[in-house]
Amino acid sequence: MAHSKNIGVYFSANDAVYEWTIAFLNSFRTFNPDLRLILIPFNEQCDRLLKLTDTYKFEVYTDSSFSRLEAIGQAFELGYTPTGPYWFRRYASFWGPLDYFMYLDARQIVLADIKPFIEAIETFGFDFLHYDCAIDQVYEQGTFRQELLKQRRGRGFNSGRWASRKGLFSIEEFEQLAESALKIRNQLNPRNTDQAFINYCCDMKPVCYGHFAEVIGGICQNGWARQSGNIFENSGKYFLWNYGSLDHKKQVILLHWAGYQLNSLMPYRNFFDKFYLKRQPIFKSCIFYLYKTLDYLWRNPLETLRQNRFINSIYHILRKK
């Protein structure tokens, strides 16, 4: 089957996640040296990132619809995520320059050639393909969620990694869907505003969507860094060793740290280090590891205390007061 040549990847970032973005870009270009890559600026604070366009061969996409998308995000915001409205900018990808595309957050690394996963939209006739699922992160328990599940909808997919096609949604359609979604705002996750929104849109339209691992096969169901098991390399590809699990010896395509702060205790920190340091001179690498060691020495005892059941319970009791 002949595929469209106008394919690529959108990613969203700003200077606040500069270190994360360096690791992302190095990993992306390791496995996708020539694939078109386009930055959707998370907000206006992108001065440092914009200096990297030539180094990592990415373009910058801005659109007049950003303000309208942010307005949708603001309408969904309940005060938990001050930057939440900016998350909605990513949905300008549906009318951006690429015909078929994948969207990726910057707080992850890419461990494979992404092109086949974008082409899968055309190959298998889907509108939208997603990765990790966690319905509680999208829909609250209640009648709306129950009705979706009865209709075999409501997967609750992650909004930080997915593939789709141009024209699936328009800004006008998003605004109409947002108006109806706000009527059941109490049945959507209070924090993950953009994730709840895109799930709602896909479920209400509805679109033909599926899970990458289920459609393509041979890859891990999840890419979250906290998953059990160990990742190993074999012949330039990465696989999960988790004996007895459904994902045992399946390929790892993406590894993301959603919900984690960048520190010495985050899981799979060695993978972040590998790609973050890929273009760094030796003296900067030495400083980096010194800082990491010092960070571990003070953070590890605090984390041990935090995970103690008694201490953690007392902390939350005092916090409520």
Side-chain angles (χ1 to χ4, degrees):
M1 176 180 177
H3 292 98
S4 170
K5 295 182 179 180
N6 188 26
I7 70 171
V9 171
Y10 295 103
F11 74 104
S12 178
N14 67 357
D15 290 344
V17 291
Y18 184 83
E19 288 76 16
W20 288 107
T21 309
I22 292 295
F24 165 77
L25 290 169
N26 280 329
S27 68
F28 183 88
R29 283 302 178 211
T30 297
F31 295 95
N32 301 271
D34 301 312
L35 187 61
R36 193 173 177 187
L37 181 62
I38 301 176
L39 168 67
I40 297 177
F42 183 77
N43 58 18
E44 308 312 312
Q45 284 71 56
C46 292
D47 293 344
R48 293 181 71 192
L49 281 185
L50 294 179
K51 295 177 182 178
L52 302 175
T53 53
D54 291 336
T55 303
Y56 293 101
K57 296 183 293 183
F58 66 83
E59 306 162 42
V60 181
Y61 168 47
T62 59
D63 193 87
S64 59
S65 65
F66 283 176
S67 59
R68 294 170 70 177
L69 290 166
E70 290 166 26
I72 295 174
Q74 188 60 53
F76 278 83
E77 185 55 52
L78 298 178
Y80 293 105
T81 48
T83 58
Y86 295 118
W87 297 347
F88 283 72
R89 286 188 176 193
R90 68 188 64 182
Y91 301 130
S93 56
F94 286 107
W95 48 88
L98 299 172
D99 293 333
Y100 293 89
F101 60 88
M102 182 178 281
Y103 169 82
L104 297 172
D105 282 343
R107 285 201 298 180
Q108 61 189 315
I109 55 174
V110 179
L111 296 174
D113 178 7
I114 292 296
K115 190 175 180 180
F117 299 92
I118 303 172
E119 292 176 339
I121 295 289
E122 277 190 282
T123 302
F124 301 110
F126 282 81
D127 294 317
F128 191 102
L129 290 172
H130 60 79
Y131 217 67
D132 311 56
C133 292
I135 195 167
D136 286 338
Q137 298 297 313
V138 173
Y139 296 115
E140 297 288 279
Q141 296 182 26
T143 56
F144 182 76
R145 170 167 148 177
Q146 291 166 1
E147 287 302 315
L148 282 179
L149 293 173
K150 286 179 182 178
Q151 298 168 27
R152 299 181 181 180
R153 291 182 280 171
R155 294 295 299 275
F157 57 81
N158 180 270
S159 62
R161 63 278 284 311
W162 43 272
S164 191
R165 59 175 176 81
K166 185 174 183 176
L168 181 61
F169 293 104
S170 66
I171 182 61
E172 292 79 15
E173 192 171 13
F174 274 148
E175 289 171 334
Q176 292 171 5
L177 286 163
E179 187 176 348
S180 61
L182 287 168
K183 294 176 182 177
I184 57 154
R185 181 65 183 88
N186 65 329
Q187 297 195 57
L188 305 177
N189 186 282
R191 294 177 180 272
N192 302 326
T193 52
D194 74 298
Q195 188 160 286
F197 176 71
I198 193 61
N199 272 267
Y200 178 88
C201 291
C202 287
D203 286 328
M204 290 299 100
K205 187 164 183 171
V207 304
C208 178
Y209 68 83
H211 193 301
F212 279 118
E214 295 171 359
V215 172
I216 297 173
I219 63 174
C220 290
Q221 290 275 339
N222 298 301
W224 194 35
R226 198 168 185 171
Q227 66 182 322
S228 59
N230 293 288
I231 298 174
F232 66 96
E233 184 179 1
N234 184 16
S235 301
K237 295 183 179 181
Y238 290 87
F239 301 88
L240 181 69
W241 184 272
N242 192 13
Y243 190 77
S245 77
L246 294 176
D247 281 343
H248 180 56
K249 297 179 75 172
K250 289 186 178 179
Q251 189 176 2
V252 180
I253 305 302
L254 301 163
L255 183 63
H256 76 111
W257 288 272
Y260 281 99
Q261 293 182 347
L262 178 55
N263 61 53
S264 58
L265 299 183
M266 70 187 201
Y268 288 112
R269 174 63 193 255
N270 57 313
F271 278 88
F272 172 85
D273 295 349
K274 175 180 179 178
F275 290 104
Y276 175 72
L277 296 173
K278 186 165 185 179
R279 296 173 182 245
Q280 298 286 349
I282 294 177
F283 79 93
K284 284 193 176 182
S285 298
C286 291
I287 294 173
F288 175 85
Y289 280 116
L290 175 61
Y291 173 80
K292 179 182 174 181
T293 302
L294 294 173
D295 182 73
Y296 178 83
L297 289 175
W298 75 266
R299 196 179 294 274
N300 188 52
L302 291 178
E303 182 65 15
T304 301
L305 290 173
R306 190 183 72 85
Q307 292 187 9
N308 180 277
R309 180 179 177 183
F310 176 75
I311 294 175
N312 191 267
S313 297
I314 295 298
Y315 167 79
H316 285 288
I317 291 171
L318 294 174
R319 188 175 182 183
K320 288 180 180 178
K321 292 182 179 180

